[in-house]
Amino acid sequence: MSASGGTKAIVAALGANLAIAASKFVAFAFSGSSSMLAEGVHSLADSGNQALLLVGGKKAKREATPQHPFGYGRERYIYAFLVSIVLFSIGGMFAIYEGYEKITHPHDLEHWYWPVGVLTFAIIAESFSFRTAIQESNALRGQLSWKEFVRRAKAPELPVVLLEDFGALIGLILALGGVGLSVLTGDGIWDGIGTICIGVLLVLIALVLAAETKSLLLGEAAGIEEVKKIEDAIVDGDTVTRIIHMRTLHLGPEELLVAAKIAVPHEDTAAEVASAIDAAEARIRGAVPIARVIYLEPDIYSEAEAAKGADPEASPGGPAPHPAEH
């Protein structure tokens, strides 16, 4: 995901959420609707989340230092993880608490037309924000389903905005339903039920975000297509005859580490091996431009050694074979 594409979606969501949050708090002040209060806090939390994503994107651009030689690309993952925590605690848990209070101490809504009008405005505004996120995502997801896109995306911003906007739209519909039923039945308990439903929805979305960003924080390998391109680029059949084993790791959404042990002809001189490694690195960067940190270790391939299988001590955590591994 390009930085500009992610920023466009984030800014669109931030602008929509700030306007919506203000209108929801006004509606709560006039009506006393707990759904409106929960939705106002939800929109305020979302605004803070988008601000966190913008800060993370800016910090991730810092140059590498001796203390952090691989740069700060993973800052984007850290701030995305913070978003899931904020959404869970401030958005979800607050809404559940507020809904419980409204159910146990119900009261009639006042000036019901305020929340209905604000919710209608909010649905329209969120729809525009959601549309922007969808357009930005469509340019990147290709043939992937939405579920696969959220699970496989290495850049966290668009999946976060997509899930937040989707949750916001469903939450607005739930809030509108709770307010509408309270008005029709004259029983404020429906407003509390709608508020709890909003809270449960936000908690579920926060858990999905936390799981995905946790995986990115731990370190994910390149996608299958990228691994295949790297493997094809390394082996030229002449100076590099095969890949003995290879590992890839995302240092950030747009920076990939590649480490591989490669087989070279046993009769090659040191100068020829060095030249072969340089050429292989150039081919890798040409095939996968985000492969910016590359370590290639030359070796002589042995059928007998290969037959023994992977060395469990070869890498932290044991062997990690890839379906496309040679």
Side-chain angles (χ1 to χ4, degrees):
M1 184 192 77
S2 66
S4 60
T7 300
K8 182 179 178 180
I10 295 169
V11 170
L14 177 59
N17 280 318
L18 286 174
I20 292 169
S23 63
K24 288 174 179 175
F25 284 125
V26 171
F28 164 70
F30 279 95
S31 68
S33 168
S34 66
S35 290
M36 293 310 304
L37 178 59
E39 276 295 309
V41 173
H42 172 198
S43 293
L44 200 60
D46 280 354
S47 300
N49 289 341
Q50 273 104 48
L52 284 173
L53 292 177
L54 290 172
V55 171
K58 183 176 181 179
K59 285 183 172 292
K61 295 178 181 179
R62 289 179 293 170
E63 296 294 330
T65 64
Q67 188 175 6
H68 297 92
F70 293 115
Y72 294 85
R74 287 195 181 182
E75 289 248 25
R76 288 165 70 178
Y77 300 152
I78 294 171
Y79 279 85
F81 189 75
L82 290 176
V83 164
S84 67
I85 296 174
V86 171
L87 194 63
F88 177 87
S89 57
I90 298 180
M93 298 308 293
F94 175 82
I96 291 174
Y97 170 78
E98 185 63 25
Y100 171 78
E101 285 293 310
K102 188 59 180 285
I103 290 174
T104 54
H105 303 93
H107 62 269
D108 295 336
L109 292 180
E110 300 175 359
H111 308 294
W112 59 268
Y113 43 84
W114 273 97
V116 170
V118 166
L119 288 170
T120 302
F121 161 73
I123 289 173
I124 295 172
E126 283 288 0
S127 296
F128 278 107
S129 174
F130 193 34
R131 179 173 174 269
T132 300
I134 289 174
Q135 289 176 335
E136 295 294 316
S137 300
N138 279 334
L140 297 171
R141 71 184 182 95
Q143 301 300 315
L144 295 175
S145 67
W146 287 109
K147 179 181 178 181
E148 290 173 330
F149 175 70
V150 171
R151 289 180 62 90
R152 296 186 186 182
K154 304 304 181 184
E157 290 85 354
L158 278 179
V160 168
V161 174
L162 275 170
L163 288 174
E164 279 191 348
D165 285 352
F166 174 74
L169 280 173
I170 300 300
L172 289 168
I173 293 171
L174 291 172
L176 189 59
V179 170
L181 287 172
S182 293
V183 172
L184 292 174
T185 63
D187 189 349
I189 195 173
W190 290 106
D191 188 32
I193 292 174
T195 306
I196 288 181
C197 291
I198 293 168
V200 171
L201 173 68
L202 294 179
V203 167
L204 292 176
I205 291 176
L207 292 175
V208 171
L209 285 177
E212 295 305 318
T213 51
K214 174 190 173 185
S215 179
L216 292 169
L217 276 171
L218 289 174
E220 288 190 356
I224 295 175
E225 293 181 2
E226 289 175 324
V227 169
K228 184 64 169 62
K229 289 179 182 179
I230 293 170
E231 291 174 337
D232 292 341
I234 291 177
V235 179
D236 64 357
D238 182 20
T239 60
V240 179
T241 58
R242 69 168 61 224
I243 297 172
I244 298 173
H245 63 72
M246 184 177 77
R247 300 287 187 272
T248 62
L249 178 69
H250 268 276
L251 301 174
E254 294 154 2
E255 188 170 13
L256 187 66
L257 180 149
V258 178
K261 178 176 283 191
I262 57 176
V264 297
H266 68 277
E267 68 273 9
D268 280 4
T269 65
E272 290 173 330
V273 170
S275 177
I277 291 175
D278 290 341
E281 289 180 352
R283 292 194 300 270
I284 293 171
R285 291 192 172 95
V288 182
I290 66 170
R292 300 176 185 173
V293 182
I294 303 173
Y295 298 107
L296 300 180
E297 178 187 354
D299 202 349
I300 306 300
Y301 180 74
S302 168
E303 293 284 355
E305 290 297 321
K308 296 179 181 179
D311 179 4
E313 303 299 328
S315 62
H322 190 280
E325 186 172 344
H326 290 268

